[in-house]
Amino acid sequence: METRSAKRRRLSLLQDGTGDHGASSGLLTRRRQISDLPDDVLCHILSFLPIKSVARTSLVSKRWAALWRSLPDLDFTTIESSDRVISAIEKLIMSHGLKLEFPQGFLKFLYIVNPEQDFIRQVLKHRSRSTQPGDGLRLLRFCAFLSFTRLNNLMRDAFRHKVNALDIEVATKDFFNLPKRVVTSEHLQAFRFVSRFPGFRLPPLSTMKNGFRSLRKLHLSGVILNNQPFLLDLFTESSFPALQKLSLSKCFGLEKISIKCGALESVVVKNCSKMNFLEVRCPKLERLRVSGCFPRGRHKSVLNIYAPRLDVLDWEGSDVPDHCCLHNSSPTVRVSLGFLNIKVEDIHEKPARSLLRFLSGISHARSLRMDSLSIKILGNMDGLEVLQPFKNLAHLELSTFTGRVYIPPLVSLFMNASFVECLHINLVPDHNTHKNLNGNSAHLWDVSVSEEEKQWEIRRKAIGSFLDHLKVGKITGLLDCEEEVSLTKFLLRHGKSLNKMILCLEARKVKDSTLKQIRSRIVEFSKAASNAKISFC
Amino acid sequence: MSSSSSSSSSPPCPKKMITLKSSDGETFEIEEIAALQSKTLENMIDENCASTPIPLPNVKGKILAKVVEFCTKHAEAGADAETLRAWDAEFVGVEHAIVFDYILAANFLEIPTLLDLACESVAEMIKGKTPDEIRKFFNINNAFSPEEEEDVRRQNQWAFE
């Protein structure tokens, strides 16, 4: 973004070019030099270089030295780390009895143990003090293994330069408290703080609530909340007035959280492995993502969402909440569901009931994507309440296991999703019943009417409306599961509005000749819609 | 139920052209959709100032011709990324004085794709060179006194290690 002073300089340069044609026509006709470029453009060129290269250009001339001293973005992650750093961090983590999980993540880390190694501090010290608003430090980014005192000093220096965006990843010897100055800064608009190891504590609630007045983006990872696992009074309607994006990851010990900030547009909660209570009441929220939370446990888990503008809901790697309420969501919401893995013995009424409630809460969704586990859970729905109809659903994507036992839940879904235009089915082999392919599956496609097909035919009337509206079908995972050509056949045979059927065959498992045979057989299946096009991918 | 699906062949709408005038009086025509890559031109089109030839007093004809070529190429539908990258590389594979002209034009016309492309190519020219080599390559005057130079070197010693 152009600062005001840079813009003034640029406009004055233009005026020189347009005004006095006599003396400055030279500006337009002689060969351009790099020295003709205005400061902000030179800074833009420097932004493509790693920071060490930029620092070296300070020796080119006085002008370049001045540019370096006022460079808006300082990204120290462009320095390559040494093996020594990674092994130092590894030793530290192992000394706590843990394993270094992602050594790759430490490749950008600086090792700041001695003052001589603290060149970030030196750079900040020699930096020109900004005199005009908008001329300050726009971005400071670094990853480092350092002590808390050094971290505190670096942050203090950055705030002296009125930093707008701070992006920091640290590994420290011990836990520490997030410095209070982060919260009280008036210039800070974006704050990303990741504690790879071992973690940090938040300042007291009273400090946090009245702080972060200009903050638009917040990402915290590695927060320690073990003694106080409730974040119910932090993200209220009045706190964080400018916050648009909130992302919380690895909040150790977090059990309950309530998020109500009025300006929030995007919320991500990840890997809070003890969290079982989430309340979100944000009038402007457009995207919500929950991943790796809601563990399976005995406590009653609650999900409460009031977000009238919600566009996308992503639920991943988390258990189905016991109690789930989605109020007044927008009719264009796209939902993606992926639940925690569950053993066959554990699938019974309770998760099925919870899933039904969840689905009824999103019954106005425009697009729904569900993983194979959902179908498994729904398979245990006998005798339970019926699914609520999906009146708006235009796009349905399902991963489902093969086998007759999964036909009833699929039928249930289709019955209640009468207006779906695009159906994508991803066939997953069910390891409990999967028979091994013996490379000669062509003969299966000869069977005129398999058992599965009969099951589908019986239910044809029940899903008549669905079949009438379906325009595009996509089926992936064929050939892994021999039985599932039945669904393809069935959809082709009865899909009156079908335009396209895309089939993704797992080519690697079969000989080319067999593949060709299968393709030609599929193309010969009877079609209700004569201009339906079958394509393979 | 199957109806023959032949696309109705109505004559395509005539593409709207914008005229640009360079500092040395040359005029160039550019499709509106290509011109929209320039935020400056986009604003002018939005405010309906685009009917008369738009004067661009800071861009000479030789450069404006290339800028028009760039915008037109990048507005083409269906160009695959690799071919475009190769074309871009050739576009900036010219003597660096011309690349600076591209930069100034892209800066004035606010064409982010061209600005980034040209700036990155200059960055490549800087990368890996010592300060002395940079000075020689770009014909920059070293205005430092020896003491000043020593100061700056000391302050940024870490970058030379």
Side-chain angles (χ1 to χ4, degrees), chain A residues 364-531:
Chain A
H364 48 273
R366 183 154 176 74
S367 151
L368 176 61
R369 188 167 77 86
M370 296 211 294
D371 67 346
S372 48
L373 203 50
S374 317
I375 302 295
K376 224 179 202 176
I377 297 175
L378 287 177
N380 283 274
M381 265 197 332
D382 293 338
L384 292 180
E385 315 94 67
V386 207
L387 258 181
Q388 272 235 31
F390 289 94
K391 292 185 227 126
N392 275 332
L393 200 62
H395 184 111
L396 178 61
E397 184 177 332
L398 299 168
S399 288
T400 177
F401 297 100
T402 53
R404 249 166 285 162
V405 67
Y406 298 108
I407 295 184
L410 287 176
V411 168
S412 273
L413 279 170
F414 295 160
M415 264 170 55
N416 290 297
S418 319
F419 305 107
V420 167
E421 289 180 5
C422 179
L423 173 71
H424 177 161
I425 298 220
N426 181 26
L427 298 168
V428 179
D430 187 352
H431 292 288
N432 294 333
T433 61
H434 180 63
K435 309 181 201 105
N436 282 322
L437 258 183
N438 50 16
N440 185 22
S441 50
H443 69 282
L444 287 163
W445 303 63
D446 284 335
V447 175
S448 43
V449 185
S450 65
E451 251 321 297
E452 281 77 24
E453 271 182 71
K454 288 196 192 128
Q455 292 295 317
W456 280 111
E457 290 292 334
I458 292 173
R459 296 169 168 87
R460 183 170 68 86
K461 271 216 177 124
I463 57 174
S465 180
F466 174 80
L467 289 168
D468 286 343
H469 284 95
L470 190 64
K471 293 206 177 105
V472 177
K474 182 172 179 186
I475 306 200
T476 56
L478 284 169
L479 276 188
D480 263 321
C481 329
E482 311 130 359
E483 298 93 351
E484 276 329 302
V485 65
S486 56
L487 178 56
T488 313
K489 252 187 176 177
F490 178 72
L491 289 174
L492 282 168
R493 182 176 289 134
H494 301 292
K496 298 199 196 107
S497 309
L498 210 54
N499 285 338
K500 256 195 301 191
M501 176 68 93
I502 306 162
L503 301 169
C504 296
L505 307 171
E506 299 279 331
R508 53 191 162 82
K509 288 200 175 163
V510 192
K511 295 180 279 196
D512 265 350
S513 51
T514 325
L515 194 62
K516 266 196 184 150
Q517 270 186 317
I518 293 174
R519 283 196 188 181
S520 58
R521 282 225 184 89
I522 292 181
V523 170
E524 282 167 23
F525 287 161
S526 67
K527 293 185 283 200
S530 50
N531 56 357

Side-chain angles (χ1 to χ4, degrees), chain A residues 185-202:
Chain A
S185 159
E186 282 167 20
H187 305 277
L188 196 60
Q189 292 179 16
F191 186 49
R192 178 175 176 266
F193 193 74
V194 173
S195 168
R196 293 295 200 112
F197 179 83
F200 64 96
R201 284 175 289 256
L202 294 173

Side-chain angles (χ1 to χ4, degrees), chain B residues 1 16 34 63 70 82 111 129 137:
Chain B
M1 188 168 156
K16 182 148 180 238
I63 301 300
F70 179 88
E82 239 188 270
I111 307 172
K129 290 191 168 70
F137 189 85

